[in-house]
mmCIF file of all heavy atoms in Angstrom:
data_model
loop_
_atom_site.group_PDB
_atom_site.id
_atom_site.type_symbol
_atom_site.label_atom_id
_atom_site.label_comp_id
_atom_site.label_asym_id
_atom_site.label_seq_id
_atom_site.Cartn_x
_atom_site.Cartn_y
_atom_site.Cartn_z
ATOM 1 N N ALA A 80 -48.452 49.198 50.585
ATOM 2 C CA ALA A 80 -47.643 49.299 51.788
ATOM 3 C C ALA A 80 -46.337 49.971 51.556
ATOM 4 O O ALA A 80 -45.815 50.811 52.245
ATOM 5 C CB ALA A 80 -47.435 47.909 52.488
ATOM 6 N N ILE A 81 -45.631 49.520 50.403
ATOM 7 C CA ILE A 81 -44.280 49.978 50.213
ATOM 8 C C ILE A 81 -44.199 51.218 49.278
ATOM 9 O O ILE A 81 -43.571 52.226 49.586
ATOM 10 C CB ILE A 81 -43.422 48.862 49.636
ATOM 11 C CG1 ILE A 81 -43.304 47.760 50.698
ATOM 12 C CG2 ILE A 81 -42.066 49.294 49.222
ATOM 13 C CD1 ILE A 81 -42.631 46.486 50.281
ATOM 14 N N ILE A 82 -44.960 51.154 48.115
ATOM 15 C CA ILE A 82 -44.850 52.216 47.138
ATOM 16 C C ILE A 82 -45.731 53.382 47.498
ATOM 17 O O ILE A 82 -45.178 54.574 47.560
ATOM 18 C CB ILE A 82 -45.226 51.732 45.778
ATOM 19 C CG1 ILE A 82 -44.176 50.639 45.328
ATOM 20 C CG2 ILE A 82 -45.270 52.851 44.752
ATOM 21 C CD1 ILE A 82 -44.507 49.944 44.061
ATOM 22 N N ARG A 83 -46.966 53.171 47.941
ATOM 23 C CA ARG A 83 -47.880 54.299 48.312
ATOM 24 C C ARG A 83 -47.889 54.606 49.765
ATOM 25 O O ARG A 83 -48.499 55.591 50.119
ATOM 26 C CB ARG A 83 -49.256 53.964 47.776
ATOM 27 C CG ARG A 83 -49.334 53.871 46.278
ATOM 28 C CD ARG A 83 -50.702 53.864 45.778
ATOM 29 N NE ARG A 83 -50.635 53.763 44.298
ATOM 30 C CZ ARG A 83 -51.662 53.257 43.631
ATOM 31 N NH1 ARG A 83 -52.734 52.795 44.194
ATOM 32 N NH2 ARG A 83 -51.562 53.170 42.310
ATOM 33 N N ARG A 84 -47.282 53.774 50.583
ATOM 34 C CA ARG A 84 -47.161 54.020 52.036
ATOM 35 C C ARG A 84 -48.511 54.383 52.687
ATOM 36 O O ARG A 84 -48.595 55.398 53.408
ATOM 37 C CB ARG A 84 -46.117 55.055 52.352
ATOM 38 C CG ARG A 84 -44.773 54.573 51.809
ATOM 39 C CD ARG A 84 -43.708 55.659 52.006
ATOM 40 N NE ARG A 84 -42.485 55.224 51.315
ATOM 41 C CZ ARG A 84 -41.271 55.340 51.801
ATOM 42 N NH1 ARG A 84 -41.089 55.901 52.923
ATOM 43 N NH2 ARG A 84 -40.275 54.936 51.070
ATOM 44 N N GLN A 85 -49.498 53.524 52.487
ATOM 45 C CA GLN A 85 -50.760 53.751 53.119
ATOM 46 C C GLN A 85 -50.719 53.474 54.575
ATOM 47 O O GLN A 85 -49.893 52.719 55.052
ATOM 48 C CB GLN A 85 -51.768 52.816 52.457
ATOM 49 C CG GLN A 85 -52.045 53.046 50.927
ATOM 50 C CD GLN A 85 -52.731 54.380 50.643
ATOM 51 O OE1 GLN A 85 -53.558 54.838 51.408
ATOM 52 N NE2 GLN A 85 -52.432 55.016 49.572
ATOM 53 N N SER A 86 -51.637 54.076 55.309
ATOM 54 C CA SER A 86 -51.707 53.825 56.789
ATOM 55 C C SER A 86 -52.178 52.371 56.960
ATOM 56 O O SER A 86 -52.772 51.755 56.085
ATOM 57 C CB SER A 86 -52.705 54.748 57.395
ATOM 58 O OG SER A 86 -54.038 54.419 57.040
ATOM 59 N N VAL A 87 -51.823 51.820 58.175
ATOM 60 C CA VAL A 87 -52.177 50.462 58.484
ATOM 61 C C VAL A 87 -53.716 50.258 58.477
ATOM 62 O O VAL A 87 -54.201 49.286 57.926
ATOM 63 C CB VAL A 87 -51.648 50.076 59.909
ATOM 64 C CG1 VAL A 87 -52.119 48.730 60.307
ATOM 65 C CG2 VAL A 87 -50.118 50.153 59.872
ATOM 66 N N LEU A 88 -54.461 51.266 58.918
ATOM 67 C CA LEU A 88 -55.930 51.119 58.893
ATOM 68 C C LEU A 88 -56.468 51.066 57.476
ATOM 69 O O LEU A 88 -57.239 50.177 57.071
ATOM 70 C CB LEU A 88 -56.578 52.288 59.645
ATOM 71 C CG LEU A 88 -58.084 52.354 59.663
ATOM 72 C CD1 LEU A 88 -58.635 51.133 60.372
ATOM 73 C CD2 LEU A 88 -58.582 53.604 60.339
ATOM 74 N N LYS A 89 -56.013 51.978 56.645
ATOM 75 C CA LYS A 89 -56.417 52.005 55.226
ATOM 76 C C LYS A 89 -56.030 50.732 54.498
ATOM 77 O O LYS A 89 -56.813 50.177 53.741
ATOM 78 C CB LYS A 89 -55.875 53.220 54.543
ATOM 79 C CG LYS A 89 -56.523 53.484 53.209
ATOM 80 C CD LYS A 89 -56.070 54.883 52.694
ATOM 81 C CE LYS A 89 -56.837 55.260 51.414
ATOM 82 N NZ LYS A 89 -56.529 56.581 50.942
ATOM 83 N N LEU A 90 -54.814 50.222 54.822
ATOM 84 C CA LEU A 90 -54.338 48.984 54.228
ATOM 85 C C LEU A 90 -55.185 47.855 54.679
ATOM 86 O O LEU A 90 -55.561 46.974 53.805
ATOM 87 C CB LEU A 90 -52.866 48.808 54.601
ATOM 88 C CG LEU A 90 -52.038 47.785 53.818
ATOM 89 C CD1 LEU A 90 -52.058 48.164 52.374
ATOM 90 C CD2 LEU A 90 -50.636 47.828 54.407
ATOM 91 N N GLY A 91 -55.541 47.773 55.863
ATOM 92 C CA GLY A 91 -56.357 46.663 56.421
ATOM 93 C C GLY A 91 -57.768 46.637 55.800
ATOM 94 O O GLY A 91 -58.262 45.619 55.423
ATOM 95 N N VAL A 92 -58.346 47.789 55.622
ATOM 96 C CA VAL A 92 -59.670 47.952 55.024
ATOM 97 C C VAL A 92 -59.587 47.449 53.578
ATOM 98 O O VAL A 92 -60.442 46.668 53.016
ATOM 99 C CB VAL A 92 -60.237 49.353 55.147
ATOM 100 C CG1 VAL A 92 -61.479 49.513 54.251
ATOM 101 C CG2 VAL A 92 -60.522 49.698 56.599
ATOM 102 N N TYR A 93 -58.550 47.963 52.874
ATOM 103 C CA TYR A 93 -58.413 47.567 51.456
ATOM 104 C C TYR A 93 -58.168 46.122 51.316
ATOM 105 O O TYR A 93 -58.759 45.510 50.394
ATOM 106 C CB TYR A 93 -57.278 48.415 50.839
ATOM 107 C CG TYR A 93 -57.217 48.283 49.370
ATOM 108 C CD1 TYR A 93 -58.273 48.676 48.518
ATOM 109 C CD2 TYR A 93 -56.133 47.690 48.711
ATOM 110 C CE1 TYR A 93 -58.209 48.531 47.156
ATOM 111 C CE2 TYR A 93 -56.021 47.594 47.316
ATOM 112 C CZ TYR A 93 -57.127 47.960 46.562
ATOM 113 O OH TYR A 93 -57.037 47.834 45.177
ATOM 114 N N MET A 94 -57.378 45.509 52.130
ATOM 115 C CA MET A 94 -57.147 44.051 52.035
ATOM 116 C C MET A 94 -58.428 43.248 52.315
ATOM 117 O O MET A 94 -58.709 42.301 51.696
ATOM 118 C CB MET A 94 -56.089 43.647 53.074
ATOM 119 C CG MET A 94 -54.651 44.130 52.730
ATOM 120 S SD MET A 94 -54.040 43.482 51.141
ATOM 121 C CE MET A 94 -54.127 44.942 50.122
ATOM 122 N N ALA A 95 -59.267 43.748 53.297
ATOM 123 C CA ALA A 95 -60.518 43.075 53.532
ATOM 124 C C ALA A 95 -61.454 43.184 52.348
ATOM 125 O O ALA A 95 -62.165 42.183 51.941
ATOM 126 C CB ALA A 95 -61.142 43.727 54.818
ATOM 127 N N VAL A 96 -61.527 44.319 51.681
ATOM 128 C CA VAL A 96 -62.314 44.498 50.493
ATOM 129 C C VAL A 96 -61.870 43.575 49.397
ATOM 130 O O VAL A 96 -62.632 42.870 48.730
ATOM 131 C CB VAL A 96 -62.290 45.956 49.988
ATOM 132 C CG1 VAL A 96 -62.891 46.083 48.593
ATOM 133 C CG2 VAL A 96 -63.014 46.878 50.997
ATOM 134 N N LEU A 97 -60.509 43.461 49.193
ATOM 135 C CA LEU A 97 -59.942 42.579 48.175
ATOM 136 C C LEU A 97 -60.297 41.066 48.484
ATOM 137 O O LEU A 97 -60.553 40.298 47.568
ATOM 138 C CB LEU A 97 -58.449 42.754 48.033
ATOM 139 C CG LEU A 97 -58.029 44.078 47.434
ATOM 140 C CD1 LEU A 97 -56.450 44.099 47.338
ATOM 141 C CD2 LEU A 97 -58.528 44.262 46.054
ATOM 142 N N LEU A 98 -60.225 40.774 49.705
ATOM 143 C CA LEU A 98 -60.574 39.378 50.121
ATOM 144 C C LEU A 98 -62.001 39.033 49.769
ATOM 145 O O LEU A 98 -62.238 37.951 49.234
ATOM 146 C CB LEU A 98 -60.250 39.180 51.640
ATOM 147 C CG LEU A 98 -60.449 37.793 52.148
ATOM 148 C CD1 LEU A 98 -59.520 36.784 51.504
ATOM 149 C CD2 LEU A 98 -60.243 37.799 53.680
ATOM 150 N N VAL A 99 -62.955 39.898 50.126
ATOM 151 C CA VAL A 99 -64.284 39.713 49.790
ATOM 152 C C VAL A 99 -64.468 39.635 48.306
ATOM 153 O O VAL A 99 -65.235 38.775 47.757
ATOM 154 C CB VAL A 99 -65.237 40.739 50.436
ATOM 155 C CG1 VAL A 99 -66.604 40.665 49.934
ATOM 156 C CG2 VAL A 99 -65.134 40.635 51.952
ATOM 157 N N GLU A 100 -63.802 40.584 47.556
ATOM 158 C CA GLU A 100 -63.954 40.642 46.135
ATOM 159 C C GLU A 100 -63.544 39.354 45.457
ATOM 160 O O GLU A 100 -64.264 38.736 44.640
ATOM 161 C CB GLU A 100 -63.090 41.812 45.598
ATOM 162 C CG GLU A 100 -62.951 41.772 44.097
ATOM 163 C CD GLU A 100 -61.840 42.689 43.603
ATOM 164 O OE1 GLU A 100 -62.062 43.875 43.415
ATOM 165 O OE2 GLU A 100 -60.695 42.176 43.427
ATOM 166 N N VAL A 101 -62.359 38.864 45.800
ATOM 167 C CA VAL A 101 -61.837 37.651 45.140
ATOM 168 C C VAL A 101 -62.625 36.419 45.610
ATOM 169 O O VAL A 101 -62.877 35.539 44.775
ATOM 170 C CB VAL A 101 -60.346 37.464 45.370
ATOM 171 C CG1 VAL A 101 -59.940 37.066 46.785
ATOM 172 C CG2 VAL A 101 -59.747 36.485 44.352
ATOM 173 N N GLY A 102 -63.047 36.389 46.839
ATOM 174 C CA GLY A 102 -63.846 35.237 47.320
ATOM 175 C C GLY A 102 -65.125 35.189 46.579
ATOM 176 O O GLY A 102 -65.581 34.091 46.121
ATOM 177 N N LEU A 103 -65.826 36.316 46.413
ATOM 178 C CA LEU A 103 -67.067 36.326 45.676
ATOM 179 C C LEU A 103 -66.904 36.023 44.190
ATOM 180 O O LEU A 103 -67.729 35.279 43.582
ATOM 181 C CB LEU A 103 -67.749 37.698 45.781
ATOM 182 C CG LEU A 103 -68.437 37.962 47.132
ATOM 183 C CD1 LEU A 103 -68.895 39.388 47.189
ATOM 184 C CD2 LEU A 103 -69.588 37.052 47.326
ATOM 185 N N ALA A 104 -65.770 36.557 43.589
ATOM 186 C CA ALA A 104 -65.525 36.215 42.176
ATOM 187 C C ALA A 104 -65.336 34.731 41.933
ATOM 188 O O ALA A 104 -65.865 34.172 41.005
ATOM 189 C CB ALA A 104 -64.324 37.011 41.762
ATOM 190 N N VAL A 105 -64.562 34.086 42.815
ATOM 191 C CA VAL A 105 -64.346 32.648 42.721
ATOM 192 C C VAL A 105 -65.682 31.892 42.836
ATOM 193 O O VAL A 105 -65.921 30.965 42.050
ATOM 194 C CB VAL A 105 -63.362 32.170 43.745
ATOM 195 C CG1 VAL A 105 -63.287 30.683 43.862
ATOM 196 C CG2 VAL A 105 -61.934 32.676 43.413
ATOM 197 N N GLU A 106 -66.424 32.226 43.811
ATOM 198 C CA GLU A 106 -67.726 31.516 44.028
ATOM 199 C C GLU A 106 -68.732 31.710 42.926
ATOM 200 O O GLU A 106 -69.351 30.790 42.449
ATOM 201 C CB GLU A 106 -68.358 31.861 45.435
ATOM 202 C CG GLU A 106 -67.715 31.095 46.524
ATOM 203 C CD GLU A 106 -67.836 29.601 46.304
ATOM 204 O OE1 GLU A 106 -68.963 29.076 46.099
ATOM 205 O OE2 GLU A 106 -66.745 28.987 46.342
ATOM 206 N N ILE A 107 -68.833 32.954 42.488
ATOM 207 C CA ILE A 107 -69.783 33.227 41.389
ATOM 208 C C ILE A 107 -69.343 32.548 40.062
ATOM 209 O O ILE A 107 -70.079 31.933 39.395
ATOM 210 C CB ILE A 107 -69.949 34.767 41.148
ATOM 211 C CG1 ILE A 107 -70.710 35.350 42.390
ATOM 212 C CG2 ILE A 107 -70.666 35.070 39.854
ATOM 213 C CD1 ILE A 107 -70.746 36.846 42.430
ATOM 214 N N PHE A 108 -68.016 32.594 39.792
ATOM 215 C CA PHE A 108 -67.446 31.964 38.649
ATOM 216 C C PHE A 108 -67.702 30.409 38.707
ATOM 217 O O PHE A 108 -68.212 29.824 37.778
ATOM 218 C CB PHE A 108 -65.944 32.181 38.555
ATOM 219 C CG PHE A 108 -65.285 31.558 37.375
ATOM 220 C CD1 PHE A 108 -65.371 32.161 36.128
ATOM 221 C CD2 PHE A 108 -64.494 30.452 37.504
ATOM 222 C CE1 PHE A 108 -64.744 31.718 34.992
ATOM 223 C CE2 PHE A 108 -63.867 29.925 36.380
ATOM 224 C CZ PHE A 108 -63.984 30.527 35.132
ATOM 225 N N ARG A 109 -67.540 29.816 39.901
ATOM 226 C CA ARG A 109 -67.725 28.349 40.077
ATOM 227 C C ARG A 109 -69.213 28.010 39.861
ATOM 228 O O ARG A 109 -69.585 27.075 39.248
ATOM 229 C CB ARG A 109 -67.232 27.972 41.474
ATOM 230 C CG ARG A 109 -67.307 26.462 41.669
ATOM 231 C CD ARG A 109 -66.876 26.084 43.094
ATOM 232 N NE ARG A 109 -67.800 26.623 44.096
ATOM 233 C CZ ARG A 109 -68.998 26.066 44.408
ATOM 234 N NH1 ARG A 109 -69.333 24.944 43.840
ATOM 235 N NH2 ARG A 109 -69.733 26.595 45.342
ATOM 236 N N LEU A 110 -70.123 28.833 40.478
ATOM 237 C CA LEU A 110 -71.513 28.548 40.364
ATOM 238 C C LEU A 110 -72.030 28.675 38.933
ATOM 239 O O LEU A 110 -72.853 27.864 38.500
ATOM 240 C CB LEU A 110 -72.288 29.469 41.297
ATOM 241 C CG LEU A 110 -72.206 29.183 42.797
ATOM 242 C CD1 LEU A 110 -72.799 30.326 43.670
ATOM 243 C CD2 LEU A 110 -72.807 27.827 43.150
ATOM 244 N N ILE A 111 -71.595 29.647 38.244
ATOM 245 C CA ILE A 111 -72.049 29.895 36.824
ATOM 246 C C ILE A 111 -71.456 28.862 35.947
ATOM 247 O O ILE A 111 -72.136 28.244 35.104
ATOM 248 C CB ILE A 111 -71.778 31.283 36.326
ATOM 249 C CG1 ILE A 111 -72.612 32.303 37.121
ATOM 250 C CG2 ILE A 111 -72.060 31.376 34.821
ATOM 251 C CD1 ILE A 111 -72.322 33.761 36.755
ATOM 252 N N CYS A 112 -70.148 28.501 36.114
ATOM 253 C CA CYS A 112 -69.509 27.455 35.274
ATOM 254 C C CYS A 112 -70.133 26.112 35.510
ATOM 255 O O CYS A 112 -70.369 25.338 34.559
ATOM 256 C CB CYS A 112 -68.029 27.365 35.599
ATOM 257 S SG CYS A 112 -67.089 28.611 34.710
ATOM 258 N N ASN A 113 -70.325 25.738 36.758
ATOM 259 C CA ASN A 113 -71.032 24.512 37.151
ATOM 260 C C ASN A 113 -70.409 23.308 36.370
ATOM 261 O O ASN A 113 -71.139 22.483 35.848
ATOM 262 C CB ASN A 113 -72.535 24.631 36.911
ATOM 263 C CG ASN A 113 -73.284 23.494 37.578
ATOM 264 O OD1 ASN A 113 -72.801 22.990 38.671
ATOM 265 N ND2 ASN A 113 -74.449 23.177 37.108
ATOM 266 N N GLY A 114 -69.096 23.219 36.372
ATOM 267 C CA GLY A 114 -68.403 22.080 35.762
ATOM 268 C C GLY A 114 -68.164 22.182 34.277
ATOM 269 O O GLY A 114 -67.656 21.243 33.681
ATOM 270 N N SER A 115 -68.558 23.269 33.706
ATOM 271 C CA SER A 115 -68.343 23.469 32.248
ATOM 272 C C SER A 115 -66.917 23.552 31.878
ATOM 273 O O SER A 115 -66.090 23.942 32.751
ATOM 274 C CB SER A 115 -69.092 24.698 31.701
ATOM 275 O OG SER A 115 -70.457 24.666 31.927
ATOM 276 N N SER A 116 -66.533 23.267 30.682
ATOM 277 C CA SER A 116 -65.177 23.349 30.193
ATOM 278 C C SER A 116 -64.847 24.883 30.191
ATOM 279 O O SER A 116 -65.736 25.768 29.952
ATOM 280 C CB SER A 116 -65.126 22.803 28.795
ATOM 281 O OG SER A 116 -63.954 23.298 28.127
ATOM 282 N N VAL A 117 -63.513 25.177 30.339
ATOM 283 C CA VAL A 117 -63.114 26.596 30.329
ATOM 284 C C VAL A 117 -63.235 27.178 28.965
ATOM 285 O O VAL A 117 -63.145 28.379 28.855
ATOM 286 C CB VAL A 117 -61.699 26.766 30.884
ATOM 287 C CG1 VAL A 117 -61.579 26.413 32.338
ATOM 288 C CG2 VAL A 117 -60.665 26.012 30.076
ATOM 289 N N SER A 118 -63.382 26.429 27.963
ATOM 290 C CA SER A 118 -63.538 26.965 26.628
ATOM 291 C C SER A 118 -65.009 27.108 26.200
ATOM 292 O O SER A 118 -65.375 27.483 25.115
ATOM 293 C CB SER A 118 -62.819 26.095 25.611
ATOM 294 O OG SER A 118 -63.353 24.747 25.579
ATOM 295 N N SER A 119 -65.923 26.825 27.153
ATOM 296 C CA SER A 119 -67.323 26.863 26.832
ATOM 297 C C SER A 119 -67.884 28.298 26.974
ATOM 298 O O SER A 119 -67.325 29.092 27.770
ATOM 299 C CB SER A 119 -68.177 25.981 27.805
ATOM 300 O OG SER A 119 -68.215 26.514 29.027
ATOM 301 N N PRO A 120 -68.930 28.683 26.223
ATOM 302 C CA PRO A 120 -69.504 30.023 26.378
ATOM 303 C C PRO A 120 -69.956 30.270 27.797
ATOM 304 O O PRO A 120 -69.942 31.391 28.256
ATOM 305 C CB PRO A 120 -70.677 30.007 25.403
ATOM 306 C CG PRO A 120 -70.262 28.960 24.337
ATOM 307 C CD PRO A 120 -69.489 27.942 25.098
ATOM 308 N N ARG A 121 -70.360 29.202 28.536
ATOM 309 C CA ARG A 121 -70.820 29.356 29.912
ATOM 310 C C ARG A 121 -69.692 29.934 30.754
ATOM 311 O O ARG A 121 -69.830 30.770 31.632
ATOM 312 C CB ARG A 121 -71.310 28.033 30.419
ATOM 313 C CG ARG A 121 -71.927 28.169 31.789
ATOM 314 C CD ARG A 121 -72.512 26.797 32.183
ATOM 315 N NE ARG A 121 -73.373 27.012 33.366
ATOM 316 C CZ ARG A 121 -74.543 26.559 33.443
ATOM 317 N NH1 ARG A 121 -75.089 25.890 32.438
ATOM 318 N NH2 ARG A 121 -75.252 26.791 34.519
ATOM 319 N N ALA A 122 -68.464 29.419 30.548
ATOM 320 C CA ALA A 122 -67.342 29.943 31.311
ATOM 321 C C ALA A 122 -66.978 31.331 30.957
ATOM 322 O O ALA A 122 -66.573 32.105 31.795
ATOM 323 C CB ALA A 122 -66.098 28.952 31.065
#
Side-chain angles (χ1 to χ4, degrees):
I81 296 172
I82 296 173
R83 295 195 183 152
R84 298 177 191 221
Q85 298 290 328
S86 71
V87 173
L88 179 62
K89 193 169 186 177
L90 196 57
V92 169
Y93 190 61
M94 291 297 107
V96 168
L97 290 180
L98 183 62
V99 170
E100 171 196 273
V101 72
L103 284 173
V105 166
E106 277 304 305
I107 291 169
F108 183 76
R109 186 184 65 79
L110 288 171
I111 293 174
C112 279
N113 197 23
S115 298
S116 164
V117 294
S118 61
S119 73
R121 187 177 194 126

